């Protein structure tokens, strides 16, 4: 499922560390990696030359840090608006996964600060792994999927099963939150048969040879998902983000989602582990 990975590097953050951790997984070891650095437009030829030289060094350092098989890695240094170039290159190489660092800004802050990761997440339909600057990247053993009835959630489950199937001692945690905006959040370990969403997800996992742990929760979904991920010491959290953008405006940022209430936005900002966001399964 993940054969082509695009990692956008800026010389800061934990994106490279996250990719090194992923490449230790048997299911990812043969994936090809494209390392991208984007040089923003500059006002003078002198500053452009300086930025190109700096970008070349950032790429070289990233590739050296990743220590990948040379046959599996390529690099791209390109000029343009970073948020646009990342999406363009992802389409060019048909990326199955985009990895980017993130400062974990809130929605309005992201707009004002021109957050590249936030815009790429809004504009690309490809799965995206966001790694905040202030988190600790751990070896992946525990993977949690926030389940509901959406196609995006089912796609996340398939991605999680792909990642965890060959991890020795790996644990798949399936969670579903029953929304209660005013009640006191609670959680309990349950058998899959106790909730139809978890039952269907657990059945699919078992069909692929994975015995999941199921957790049913009641409370505010975003807060509860983040709290569970922290309490259960999760190494990677997957959550679906249904595509609400109108088809006529696929090339524009969805300001309604940026400014409005969004579960995936809350989780990407507040989760204490890397977050993989996916919209819908590939056609």
């Amino acid at each position: 499922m993940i054969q082509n990975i695009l990692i956008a590097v800026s010389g800061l953050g934990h994106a490279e560390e996250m990719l090194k951790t992923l490449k230790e997984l048997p299911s990812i070891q043969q994936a090809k990696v494209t390392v991208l650095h984007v040089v923003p437009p500059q006002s003078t030829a002198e500053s452009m030359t300086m930025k190109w030289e700096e970008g070349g060094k950032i790429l070289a350092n990233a590739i050296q840090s990743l220590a990948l098989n040379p046959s599996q890695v390529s690099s791209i240094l390109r000029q343009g608006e970073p948020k646009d170039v990342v999406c363009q290159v992802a389409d060019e190489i048909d990326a199955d996964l985009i990895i980017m660092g993130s400062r974990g800004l809130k929605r309005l802050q992201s707009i004002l600060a021109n957050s590249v990761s936030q815009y790429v997440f809004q504009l690309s339909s490809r799965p995206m792994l966001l790694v905040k600057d202030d988190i600790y990247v751990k070896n992946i053993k525990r993977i949690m999927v926030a389940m509901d009835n959406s196609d995006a959630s089912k796609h996340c489950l398939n991605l999680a099963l792909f990642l965890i199937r060959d991890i020795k001692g790996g644990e798949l945690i399936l969670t579903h939150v029953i929304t209660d905006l005013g009640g006191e959040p609670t959680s309990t370990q349950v058998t899959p048969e106790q909730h139809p969403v978890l039952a269907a997800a657990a059945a699919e996992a078992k069909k692929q040879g994975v015995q999941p742990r199921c957790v049913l929760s009641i409370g505010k979904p975003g807060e509860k998902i983040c709290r569970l991920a922290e309490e259960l010491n999760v190494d990677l959290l997957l959550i679906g983000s249904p595509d609400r953008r109108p088809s006529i405006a696929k090339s524009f940022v969805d300001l309604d989602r940026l400014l409005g209430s969004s579960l995936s936005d809350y989780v990407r900002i507040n989760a204490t582990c890397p977050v993989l966001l996916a919209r819908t399964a590939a056609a």
Side-chain angles (χ1 to χ4, degrees):
M1 284 185 75
I2 299 179
Q3 297 177 327
N4 293 311
I5 298 174
L6 174 63
I7 175 170
V9 297
S10 62
L12 301 171
H14 300 306
E16 295 97 319
E17 190 177 351
M18 186 72 240
L19 178 57
K20 288 172 69 175
T21 299
L22 275 180
K23 288 291 281 185
E24 293 177 1
L25 304 183
S27 56
I28 299 291
Q29 286 176 358
Q30 299 307 312
K32 293 184 177 180
V33 175
T34 300
V35 185
L36 170 68
H37 178 73
V38 184
V39 177
Q42 302 296 314
S43 58
T44 67
E46 182 180 3
S47 61
M48 178 56 69
T49 300
M50 183 179 67
K51 286 296 183 182
W52 272 96
E53 292 176 351
E54 181 183 310
K57 292 177 181 177
I58 289 173
L59 275 180
N61 290 337
I63 292 173
Q64 183 177 16
S65 170
L66 291 170
L68 298 175
N69 185 328
S71 66
Q72 293 181 324
V73 62
S74 60
S75 63
I76 297 177
L77 180 62
R78 191 170 293 185
Q79 178 189 355
E81 288 293 339
K83 61 181 181 291
D84 297 325
V85 174
V86 172
C87 293
Q88 291 165 5
V89 173
D91 290 339
E92 289 172 12
I93 70 169
D94 194 20
D96 302 307
L97 179 66
I98 301 171
I99 301 177
M100 295 188 71
S102 169
R103 288 171 291 170
L105 299 176
K106 297 184 186 299
R107 287 182 293 272
L108 184 55
Q109 287 178 307
S110 293
I111 297 171
L112 297 177
N114 199 24
S115 169
V116 176
S117 61
Q118 172 68 1
Y119 275 80
V120 171
F121 169 55
Q122 292 298 325
L123 296 177
S124 178
S125 60
R126 300 175 187 275
M128 184 171 181
L129 178 50
L130 291 175
V131 190
K132 289 196 299 182
D133 294 343
D134 60 350
I135 68 167
Y136 176 67
V137 176
K138 301 177 290 184
N139 290 334
I140 297 175
K141 291 288 187 182
R142 294 185 183 88
I143 298 179
M144 187 170 92
V145 184
M147 295 300 307
D148 56 29
N149 283 316
S150 69
D151 288 338
S153 173
K154 295 171 185 174
H155 186 32
C156 284
L157 174 61
N158 288 332
L159 284 170
L161 290 169
F162 171 80
L163 292 172
I164 205 167
R165 62 188 180 188
D166 295 320
I167 299 178
K168 187 175 181 180
E171 182 181 14
L172 176 64
I173 302 168
L174 305 176
T175 184
H176 175 69
V177 180
I178 299 173
T179 302
D180 181 1
L181 299 180
E184 183 67 24
T186 60
S187 65
T188 180
Q189 186 168 336
V190 299
T191 59
E193 291 75 17
Q194 289 181 276
H195 195 281
V197 170
L198 292 178
E204 179 61 29
K206 290 177 181 179
K207 189 165 67 175
Q208 297 192 34
V210 177
Q211 180 65 46
R213 173 183 178 185
C214 294
V215 179
L216 183 65
S217 307
I218 302 174
K220 298 178 181 178
E223 293 180 8
K224 195 59 191 172
I225 290 169
C226 290
R227 187 176 302 173
L228 279 173
E230 186 170 11
E231 290 175 354
L232 299 173
N233 197 24
V234 168
D235 305 315
L236 179 64
L237 168 61
L238 284 79
I239 184 169
S241 177
D243 191 349
R244 286 173 43 201
R245 297 169 298 166
S247 58
I248 196 172
K250 289 290 183 182
S251 61
F252 298 95
V253 174
D254 185 348
L255 292 178
D256 175 61
R257 283 182 59 81
L258 284 170
L259 295 171
S261 175
S262 168
L263 174 60
S264 57
D265 270 330
Y266 183 93
V267 171
R268 81 171 172 84
I269 292 165
N270 294 285
T272 56
C273 64
V275 178
L276 197 162
L277 303 123
R279 285 205 164 90
T280 55

